[in-house]
């Protein structure tokens, strides 16, 4: 502020002087800076009437005029001087205080209120001064300045004007006399030889375009005699090309007969620095205002001693109080705090106020229209001798942040839920089950807990999935999940642990009888038919139950035991439940040993083929061989299929066994052909696993299967009674490759007449259990005769398995059976034995001679 040319000071809303430059301090208080701050500016005015007039005038700034004029007493004199007063406002137009600047007008200190009618006229010969003082009528002005000498008056004016760096101008339009001081020229970069504008029109051409309108308005007011005072700001172009800001102050000292200004005298002050600061302050205020608007911030102040608060317009809008006064009661904000947040928020603010601490808190705002917003308030506590205790703060509307945080929390909770639950059934998944069990194990009282695990497996689920599609399978899983939820205790954690398997962890284990009742209820409900659309579905379940033993530490073996019990239940015929016993673990170890041994045997080439001959029922001529898988173990010797196929099925090796047997058969067939033996055909078993392989056709293509020499026996043909696109496609490809189809174990309940009509096999084999009693049972013979009749009617050859005696041969020949196979004719034999058998039978024209 000390860089300003004019005496200047700033007054707060309470009319106390907040700061002043050295010139103002010198003029008003004789240079005593420490006595300036805090002084009430009204004490410098004459009388109560002047003070009241001043208070009424400044509150209207700038509604009536941008600047008001007041007179203040000068230090050490009985005279006063005119000061220009303007209001300083923030971007929201809230008044911050009042800026006082001394005018260029000099006042007779001995006659308060009287103006100097002094006239400045050029005196080129006079140096070093810019001007000298004369009255308009040419008389000595000392006559009107009692108590002051001419020298003193001249010295005072020169000193005041030059020290303020003010430029003097005098335009006498009637006499066409125009004077500007050296300072006037210097401030514009002009020399004595440069011309100056002497008309309003010429002068306006040097004015910044943005200032012309308001300058023209000021000139209009002067011409219309609305005012004699000149007091306006404008930008004028410097000779170097840049713009200079000026404050022009002056007065019309004479008018012509038409009332137009005839002579005007005044001064120009370079206020470029002031305007630069002012513009920068304005730009900073605008930027701050924009930033606060973007951040949805509202500004507030709180005077602790006066119990008074100021809210800017944004804060009023934030509280839904648009149009209200910016001056608020200290507790007005508390009326809008959400009831659930009010006690804690007020307690915090009171504690901060009591301790003189900054305040920082979030609370919910309940607006009058019922809208709830989240507000974050931050306030800085300031304590100084000048203003006392105050808070300066801002409020943020952080509703979006809270909503976003809530959305993220909901998303996190949803993801956490989804990561711990099965999306299809809504049950817990394996991860949730494992986490829950781990928490229980790590509890301090884990040793005292007694837990139970029920492991469920859906029977016949694959049939539904394969025949009705995955949507039906999903509906089945949901149906099963609802049954489990309904039947287990509410405290149990039911989870889907994979595929069609479920598990329930019971925390408060009831007695064995209650566990049995739970298992029976689940099995009963699961066995009831349910509908998927119009399709009736039938499923069941097997259950394995394991209970933790008293005193034994909890560990994952509880789930392993439940799994072993489930295996035992399925082995017992499905639709059953079993409690875990130690014998099950021993059986599991044996199975494990069998798995390891079988896998090693498979890798070491111990899986091979034996072949059992088939004969024409009438002539006993050799009609083919059936390839039978065998395990020739180096450790255990020859092992029959019934001893290891179930293990192979558990290991998922059945399809691999099928392919191995087919490849071995093709190799042996080629070897016998090279030895001159013509094997009519060889039938090879094909499991359901192999038949359900979508790549079966692709795997058979490279084998170059000999036409008419290979037939496939379909095992477990119950799967043929249900529509399956993969099986149907594979059967068509098998037929295209020249491979005949046989149905094995016909009559044992696996295949039906419908499947025969759909598949149209070349042969069907009657199960050995039906053949065995035909010698002594007429009823059984009639049944076989009927089956043979069906075969002839469908043009399907019938093969009788289990021919053990010559009596069987005679009865089957009488019944019209086509082919015979059994121990009574020839046992299964390895490759070398088949070679010897072929040598022997070739000696009898390819016929078996009974009794040899």
């Amino acid at each position: 502020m000390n860089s300003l040319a004019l005496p200047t000071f700033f007054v707060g809303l309470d009319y106390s002087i907040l700061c002043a430059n050295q010139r103002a301090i010198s003029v008003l208080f004789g240079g005593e800076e420490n006595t300036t701050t805090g002084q009430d500016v009204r004490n410098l005015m004459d009388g109560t009437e002047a003070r009241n007039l001043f208070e009424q005038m400044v509150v209207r700034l700038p509604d009536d005029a941008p600047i008001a004029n007041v007179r203040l007493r000068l230090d050490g004199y009985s005279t006063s001087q005119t000061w220009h007063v303007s209001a300083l406002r923030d971007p929201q137009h809230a008044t911050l205080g009042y800026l006082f600047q001394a005018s260029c007008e000099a006042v007779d200190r001995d006659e308060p209120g009287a103006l100097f009618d002094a006239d400045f006229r050029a005196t080129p010969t006079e140096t070093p001064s810019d001007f000298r003082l004369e009255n308009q009528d040419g008389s000595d002005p000392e006559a009107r300045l009692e108590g002051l000498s001419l020298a003193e008056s001249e010295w005072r004016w020169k000193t005041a004007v030059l020290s303020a760096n003010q430029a003097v101008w005098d335009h006498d339009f009637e006499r066409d006399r125009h004077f500007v001081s050296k300072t006037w020229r210097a401030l514009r970069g002009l020399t004595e030889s440069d011309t100056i504008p002497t008309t309003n029109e010429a002068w306006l051409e040097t004015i910044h375009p943005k200032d012309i309108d308001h300058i023209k308005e000021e000139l209009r007011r002067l011409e219309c005699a609305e005012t004699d005072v000149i007091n306006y700001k404008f930008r004028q172009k410097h000779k170097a090309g840049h713009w200079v800001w000026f404050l022009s102050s002056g007065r019309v000292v004479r008018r012509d007969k038409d009332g137009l200004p005839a002579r005007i005298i005044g001064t120009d002050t370079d206020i470029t620095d002031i305007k630069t600061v002012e513009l920068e302050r304005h730009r900073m205020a605008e930027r701050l205002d924009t930033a606060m608007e973007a951040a949805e911030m509202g500004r507030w102040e709180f005077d602790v001693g006066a119990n008074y608060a100021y809210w800017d317009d944004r804060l009023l809008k934030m509280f839904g109080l648009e149009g209200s006064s910016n001056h608020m009661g200290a507790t007005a904000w508390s009326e809008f705090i959400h009831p659930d947040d009010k006690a804690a928020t007020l307690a915090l603010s009171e504690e901060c106020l009591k301790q003189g601490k900054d305040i920082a808190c979030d609370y919910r705002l309940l607006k009058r229209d019922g809208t709830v917003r989240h507000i974050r308030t931050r306030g800085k506590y300031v304590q100084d001798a000048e203003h006392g205790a105050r808070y300066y703060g801002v409020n943020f509307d952080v509703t979006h942040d809270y909503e976003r945080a809530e959305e993220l929390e909901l998303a996190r909770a949803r993801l956490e839920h989804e990561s711990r639950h099965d999306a299809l059934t809504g049950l817990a998944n394996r991860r949730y089950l494992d986490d829950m069990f781990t928490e229980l194990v790590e509890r301090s009282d884990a040793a005292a807990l007694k837990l139970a695990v029920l492991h469920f497996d859906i029977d016949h689920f694959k049939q539904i999935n394969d025949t009705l599609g995955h949507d039906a399978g999903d509906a089945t899983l949901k149906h099963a999940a609802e049954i489990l939820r309904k039947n287990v205790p509410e405290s149990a954690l039911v989870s889907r642990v994979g595929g069609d398997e479920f598990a329930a962890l019971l925390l408060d284990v009831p007695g064995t009888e209650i566990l049995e009742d739970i298992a029976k209820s689940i099995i009963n409900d699961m066995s009831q038919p349910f509908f998927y659309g119009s399709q009736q579905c039938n499923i069941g379940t097997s259950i394995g139950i394991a209970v933790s033993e008293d005193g034994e530490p909890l560990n994952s073996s509880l789930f392993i035991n439940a799994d072993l019990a489930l295996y035992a239940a399925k082995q017992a015929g499905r639709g059953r439940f079993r409690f875990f016993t130690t014998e099950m673990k021993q059986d599991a170890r044996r199975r494990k040993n069998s798995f390891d041994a079988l896998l090693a045997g498979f890798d070491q080439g111990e899986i091979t083929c034996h072949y059992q001959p088939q004969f024409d029922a009438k002539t006993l001529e050799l009609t083919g061989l059936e390839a039978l898988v065998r395990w020739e173990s180096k450790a255990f010797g020859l092992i029959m299929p019934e001893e290891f196929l179930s293990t192979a099925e558990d290991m998922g090796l059945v399809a691999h066994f099928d392919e191995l047997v087919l490849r071995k058969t093709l190799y042996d067939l080629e070897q016998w052909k090279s030895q001159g033996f013509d094997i009519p055909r060889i039938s090879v078993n094909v499991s359901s696993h192999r038949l359900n392989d979508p790549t079966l056709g692709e795997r058979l293509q490279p084998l170059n299967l000999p036409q008419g020499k290979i037939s496939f026996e379909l095992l477990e043909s119950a799967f043929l009674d249900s529509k399956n696109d993969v099986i149907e496609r594979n059967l068509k490809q098998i037929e295209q490759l020249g491979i005949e189809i046989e149905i094995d174990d016909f009559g044992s309940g696996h295949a039906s007449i419908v499947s025969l009509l759909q598949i149209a096999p070349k042969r069907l084999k009657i199960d050995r259990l039906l053949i065995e009693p035909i010698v002594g049972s007429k009823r059984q013979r009639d049944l076989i005769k009927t089956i043979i009749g069906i075969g002839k009617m469908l043009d399907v050859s019938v093969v009788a398995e289990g021919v053990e005696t010559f009596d069987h041969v005679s009865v089957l020949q009488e019944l019209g059976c086509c082919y015979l196979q059994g121990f009574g004719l020839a046992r299964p034999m390895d490759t070398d034995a088949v070679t010897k058998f072929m040598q022997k039978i070739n000696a009898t024209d390819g016929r078996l001679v009974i009794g040899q």
Side-chain angles (χ1 to χ4, degrees):
M1 186 175 284
N2 282 328
S3 64
L4 300 179
L6 293 176
T8 305
F9 62 92
F10 182 68
V11 173
L13 295 177
D14 58 355
Y15 307 124
S16 62
I17 298 176
L18 301 180
C19 58
N21 66 2
Q22 191 59 47
R23 291 186 176 89
I25 295 172
S26 177
V27 169
L28 294 175
F29 301 102
E32 296 295 329
E33 182 175 2
N34 59 345
T35 63
T36 303
T37 303
Q39 288 281 350
D40 192 322
V41 71
R42 293 173 295 184
N43 294 334
L44 302 177
M45 301 175 186
D46 292 324
T48 303
E49 183 178 352
R51 295 177 186 179
N52 292 339
L53 183 63
F54 165 73
E55 293 173 1
Q56 295 173 14
M57 175 179 61
V58 296
V59 296
R60 294 196 300 271
L61 291 173
D63 297 332
D64 295 338
I67 297 178
N69 294 322
V70 299
R71 303 187 72 84
L72 301 179
R73 290 195 306 276
L74 303 181
D75 179 67
Y77 295 92
S78 60
T79 59
S80 60
Q81 185 177 15
T82 300
W83 293 71
H84 303 307
V85 184
S86 59
L88 291 185
R89 300 180 185 273
D90 66 8
Q92 283 73 45
H93 304 291
T95 301
L96 302 175
Y98 307 102
L99 186 68
F100 284 68
Q101 286 186 307
S103 73
C104 301
E105 175 186 7
V107 180
D108 186 348
R109 298 175 183 267
D110 295 325
E111 297 180 20
L115 294 175
F116 283 105
D117 283 333
D119 181 7
F120 296 103
R121 297 179 181 175
T123 55
T125 59
E126 189 173 23
T127 59
S129 66
D130 254 350
F131 51 83
R132 63 188 179 85
L133 186 63
E134 292 181 357
N135 284 339
Q136 293 181 3
D137 56 5
S139 63
D140 189 347
E142 288 292 326
R144 299 182 58 192
L145 296 173
E146 295 180 20
L148 292 176
S149 68
L150 176 62
E152 183 181 6
S153 175
E154 183 176 1
W155 173 83
R156 184 185 302 140
W157 277 100
K158 289 180 180 179
T159 302
V161 172
L162 292 177
S163 65
N165 199 29
Q166 290 182 326
V168 179
W169 49 264
D170 179 359
H171 296 288
D172 190 332
F173 298 103
E174 279 187 323
R175 303 174 188 176
D176 195 24
R177 297 171 60 184
H178 303 278
F179 166 79
V180 293
S181 67
K182 292 180 180 180
T183 302
W184 191 97
R185 292 178 178 273
L187 292 178
R188 291 161 174 81
L190 301 176
T191 65
E192 289 291 337
S193 62
D194 291 318
T195 60
I196 63 170
T198 58
T199 65
N200 287 342
E201 291 73 14
W203 180 64
L204 286 173
E205 291 179 358
T206 68
I207 303 302
H208 194 287
K210 291 186 177 180
D211 299 334
I212 289 178
D213 288 343
H214 88 83
I215 293 296
K216 286 183 175 180
E217 173 61 19
E218 292 297 326
L219 294 177
R220 184 197 66 78
R221 296 180 66 218
L222 289 175
E223 291 176 355
C224 295
E226 292 181 9
T227 181
D228 285 338
V229 176
I230 294 174
N231 197 324
Y232 46 72
K233 301 171 184 177
F234 59 90
R235 282 164 287 185
Q236 194 166 13
K237 182 165 288 187
H238 191 275
K239 185 175 181 180
H242 60 274
W243 297 97
V244 181
W245 273 99
F246 290 102
L247 170 63
S248 189
S249 300
R251 176 179 293 274
V252 176
V253 296
R254 187 175 71 250
R255 292 183 178 272
D256 61 17
K257 59 184 177 58
D258 296 324
L260 295 175
R263 187 177 185 185
I264 307 175
I265 302 175
T267 61
D268 284 353
T269 305
D270 183 348
I271 59 170
T272 303
D273 291 343
I274 299 175
K275 289 299 294 187
T276 300
V277 172
E278 180 181 324
L279 290 173
E280 181 59 25
R281 180 190 65 80
H282 183 69
R283 284 193 292 268
M284 290 179 63
E286 284 185 336
R287 289 195 291 268
L288 178 61
D289 186 62
T290 301
M292 292 181 68
E293 184 71 29
E296 298 186 2
M297 296 168 56
R299 183 172 64 85
W300 56 269
E301 298 177 17
F302 172 48
D303 188 326
V304 177
N307 208 26
Y308 149 85
Y310 169 80
W311 294 12
D312 71 0
D313 292 343
R314 275 188 300 270
L315 191 61
L316 291 174
K317 182 178 179 182
M318 188 180 297
F319 278 71
L321 298 175
E322 297 93 328
S324 300
S325 171
N326 298 104
H327 304 290
M328 305 291 290
T331 61
W333 69 289
S334 64
E335 300 173 7
F336 297 89
I337 302 176
H338 193 284
D340 294 342
D341 299 344
K342 193 165 189 175
T345 304
L346 291 180
L348 175 63
S349 63
E350 289 173 5
E351 182 66 20
C352 291
L353 184 61
K354 180 180 179 181
Q355 298 185 15
K357 292 168 49 179
D358 297 343
I359 186 168
C361 67
D362 289 8
Y363 61 89
R364 283 172 294 173
L365 167 70
L366 183 60
K367 298 171 74 172
R368 289 174 178 173
D369 63 0
T371 304
V372 176
R373 309 295 292 177
H374 289 269
I375 301 299
R376 177 166 296 157
T377 187
R378 296 292 184 267
K380 183 70 176 177
Y381 180 82
V382 177
Q383 173 76 47
D384 58 47
E386 183 178 352
H387 301 101
R390 301 176 74 89
Y391 273 98
Y392 298 93
V394 292
N395 281 11
F396 303 78
D397 186 335
V398 292
T399 304
H400 296 310
D401 294 342
Y402 271 86
E403 290 175 347
R404 181 61 176 160
E406 290 175 2
E407 290 175 1
L408 291 174
E409 177 58 26
L410 289 174
R412 186 205 63 77
R414 184 170 60 253
L415 289 174
E416 176 65 16
H417 179 85
E418 291 173 354
S419 70
R420 294 163 62 89
H421 288 80
D422 175 53
L424 178 64
T425 63
L427 298 177
N429 58 17
R430 183 180 289 277
R431 177 195 168 192
Y432 191 1
L433 180 65
D434 291 343
D435 290 347
M436 173 66 77
F437 188 74
T438 300
E439 290 178 9
L440 293 172
V441 170
E442 293 176 351
R443 279 174 50 172
S444 58
D445 61 342
L449 295 176
K450 190 168 185 179
L451 307 178
V453 173
L454 278 66
H455 195 172
F456 310 91
D457 180 89
I458 300 178
D459 299 332
H460 313 305
F461 174 72
K462 190 174 186 305
Q463 278 184 270
I464 292 178
N465 225 16
D466 291 343
T467 58
L468 299 179
H470 291 291
D471 289 344
D474 290 347
T476 301
L477 293 173
K478 293 179 182 178
H479 174 72
E482 288 302 319
I483 291 176
L484 297 181
R485 282 194 187 97
K486 182 182 72 173
N487 285 283
V488 300
E490 290 185 5
S491 59
L493 177 64
V494 183
S495 62
R496 181 186 174 198
V497 294
D500 61 339
E501 293 186 47
F502 299 82
L505 177 64
L506 277 64
L507 308 184
D508 300 317
V509 180
T512 302
E513 292 183 358
I514 297 178
L515 285 175
E516 289 180 355
D517 290 340
I518 292 173
K520 289 176 182 178
S521 297
I522 292 173
I523 291 172
N524 179 69
D525 289 353
M526 206 77 81
S527 65
Q528 303 301 317
F530 72 97
F531 284 88
Y532 172 70
S534 60
Q535 184 71 43
Q536 179 174 301
C537 302
N538 294 282
I539 59 172
T541 187
S542 302
I543 306 175
I545 306 173
V547 181
S548 62
E549 298 294 334
D550 293 334
E552 289 189 1
L554 290 175
N555 53 54
S556 59
S557 63
L558 190 63
F559 292 96
I560 297 174
N561 294 344
D563 189 50
L564 294 175
L566 173 61
Y567 180 85
K570 293 168 68 174
Q571 291 296 108
R574 300 178 184 270
R576 291 173 170 78
F577 67 88
R578 289 290 183 271
F579 282 88
F580 170 77
T581 63
T582 54
E583 289 78 9
M584 292 178 185
K585 186 163 288 188
Q586 295 171 0
D587 290 341
R589 291 195 185 99
R590 284 194 292 271
R591 286 196 304 275
K592 175 64 169 59
N593 294 334
S594 298
F595 289 168
D596 295 341
L598 181 58
L599 188 59
F602 191 88
D603 292 339
Q604 296 169 14
E606 294 179 355
I607 307 302
T608 186
C609 290
H610 283 199
Y611 301 92
Q612 187 173 22
Q614 296 174 344
F615 302 93
D616 184 283
K618 292 181 180 179
T619 64
L620 296 185
E621 182 180 359
L622 180 68
T623 58
L625 304 175
E626 179 182 5
L628 303 170
V629 66
R630 295 290 187 267
W631 179 12
E632 294 182 352
S633 172
K634 295 176 182 178
F636 307 109
L638 182 65
I639 302 176
M640 304 304 288
E642 56 268 18
E643 298 181 60
F644 67 84
L645 276 184
S646 61
T647 301
E649 185 170 1
D650 291 340
M651 296 173 66
L653 293 176
V654 173
H656 296 286
F657 274 47
D658 288 350
E659 185 166 353
L660 185 149
V661 169
L662 177 58
R663 291 181 178 273
K664 183 68 170 63
T665 296
L666 293 174
Y667 175 80
D668 291 342
L669 189 60
E670 190 65 27
Q671 294 301 309
W672 288 323
K673 181 180 180 182
S674 66
Q675 297 173 23
F677 301 124
D678 182 21
I679 307 297
R681 61 179 173 76
I682 299 180
S683 59
V684 179
N685 291 323
V686 177
S687 67
S688 63
H689 298 281
R690 180 83 158 152
L691 203 59
N692 277 282
D693 181 2
T695 66
L696 177 59
E698 299 172 7
R699 301 173 73 90
L700 293 176
Q701 285 284 354
L703 298 181
N704 296 320
L705 299 172
Q707 292 285 326
K709 290 292 186 178
I710 299 295
S711 64
F712 282 175
E713 287 190 10
L714 306 184
L715 300 177
E716 302 180 18
S717 51
F719 293 97
L720 301 177
D721 280 339
S722 299
K723 184 175 177 59
N724 187 303
D725 294 338
V726 175
I727 292 178
E728 289 184 1
R729 185 169 61 253
N730 283 336
L731 289 175
K732 289 180 181 179
Q733 291 179 330
I734 289 170
E735 183 181 2
Q736 292 170 359
L737 291 172
I739 303 172
E740 297 178 347
I741 299 296
E742 298 182 8
I743 303 297
D744 197 12
D745 298 333
F746 186 83
S748 62
H750 292 270
S752 67
I753 302 299
V754 174
S755 65
L756 290 179
L757 291 172
Q758 291 176 345
I759 299 173
K762 291 295 182 181
R763 283 168 293 278
L764 62 84
K765 299 177 72 172
I766 303 175
D767 188 86
R768 68 181 66 249
L769 295 177
L770 298 179
I771 296 298
E772 182 180 357
I774 63 172
V775 175
S777 172
K778 181 179 183 303
R779 180 181 178 184
Q780 206 70 21
R781 287 196 298 273
D782 291 341
L783 176 59
I784 299 302
K785 185 177 180 179
T786 301
I787 294 174
I788 294 172
I790 292 173
K792 289 180 179 180
M793 185 168 52
L794 298 177
D795 196 22
V796 177
S797 300
V798 177
V799 181
E801 289 187 299
V803 179
E804 306 292 338
T805 66
F806 295 130
D807 290 337
H808 283 113
V809 174
S810 298
V811 172
L812 290 168
Q813 288 176 337
E814 181 180 343
L815 295 175
C817 187
C818 301
Y819 305 107
L820 306 178
Q821 178 182 344
F823 285 4
L825 300 174
R827 288 179 171 273
M829 57 192 81
D830 61 20
T831 305
D832 293 338
V834 170
T835 301
K836 293 177 182 179
F837 177 78
M838 292 300 298
Q839 291 172 346
K840 180 179 178 181
I841 201 171
N842 280 352
T844 57
D845 296 328
R847 289 184 174 84
L848 180 65
V849 179
I850 296 177
Q852 290 187 356

